[in-house]
Amino acid sequence: MGIRLGCIADDFTGATDLANNLVRAGMRVVQLIDTPSAGVEQAIDADAVVIALKSRTVPAADAVEASLRALAWLRSMGAEQIYFKYCSTFDSTPVGNIGPVTEALMDALGTDFTVATPAFPDNGRTIFKGHLFVGDVLLSDSGMRHHPLTPMTDSDLVSVLGAQTTREVGLVDHTVVADGVEAIRARVDALREGGFGIAIVDAVSNDDLVRLGAAVQGFPLVTAGSGLAIGLPANWGFKPSRAAAQLPPPAGHQAVVSGSVSVATNRQVLEYLRTGRPAFSLDPLRVAAGEDVVGQALAFAGSHLDDGPVLVYSTESADTVRTVQGRLGAAEAGELVERTLARIAQGLVERGVRRLVVAGGETSGAVVQALGITGLRIGPQIDPGVPWCAAALPGGDTLHITLKSGNFGGPGFFTRSFALLDEEAA
């Protein structure tokens, strides 16, 4: 039997975020790192497959090409519905990549209408009157306004997406969503007849997403953050089950690598440091100057791994990030940190780390590629949107890894992650 739901995610942490919600709703999920090559089809045993791309901040044409390649593979596997997943803070620029990818997928699937909703109430992402809120503030007033690659200064999603697309973008507002499935479908029909091709859908609660999930049953394409995933599995009769999240028992050393500059990850680093556990701060300027920072980090970690988790981080304040970017350039600084942390992660695994937390979307992408990971089995949730996963290392060992979006998780996330994994295995 072919897979029921085929998903295309625009970054690696976003992929696990989506897969996590599908697993919690009862689907067995495999996450693949980029589109598989020929022959991998025979190894897939899952109800849903999530293909993790690194397409959020690449040129729009490259994002479209990668997404269409993923779509072709998912369709060859018999996917009944396609889910394009982006960030719950709608990370994008005035030229993409959410709009161009959405339109390319619509064209390839021959559909004239789809929905767009990054809402994820469990993580404080809600949409009201088409405006995206992060917690109690508008997106434009949140920390995302300072994002180094995709600064979000407009919270009106109809406006943001409309600037990226050739199709008209409309709105299904909260009063319609509250009225239920038939009301949503009627509003969709009216928008379609009015010449609209995409609708931003309000959602202020999980109940809203469940209603929307039922309303889009049979749509060739849906686009959303990870929140809509809670409302889709029931369309195929799936129900929540602990069995869907079972992973092999964990073993080996514990470590955290963090490259995110988000407010949430800054808090997590500070909380970890407050506990007095060992931590190594990575200075990008020292790396750029040619110092062997990788060797220094691994030497530091090697002397502490026997005592519990070790943190290696390059998480700084917005002012510090701007200073580094001013000296190295924004793109160069980001890539330098990603490459360095990926090499450190490789070294940590070589030294016996088999339980690894990675913070930051771009950092996660660099780490999984450096480790040669091609697929992940999705396990239990740590915090909303963040699960533990299991990956087969090239040598045959199992690596338990979590890929955390920078914006997700509570202050004690790093240490709580390892405690939960041990509890699940007990």
Side-chain angles (χ1 to χ4, degrees), residues 116-155:
T117 180
F120 190 3
D122 283 351
N123 262 332
R125 314 302 195 259
T126 55
I127 305 172
F128 181 77
K129 296 289 187 181
H131 287 73
L132 178 57
F133 285 78
V134 178
D136 295 328
V137 302
L138 289 165
L139 173 67
S140 53
D141 295 327
S142 74
M144 282 300 299
R145 69 188 184 277
H146 299 306
H147 195 285
L149 299 178
T150 53
M152 301 303 293
T153 58
D154 187 357
S155 61

Side-chain angles (χ1 to χ4, degrees), residues 283-295:
D283 183 348
L285 296 178
R286 289 172 53 207
V287 178
E291 291 188 40
D292 183 18
V293 175
V294 172

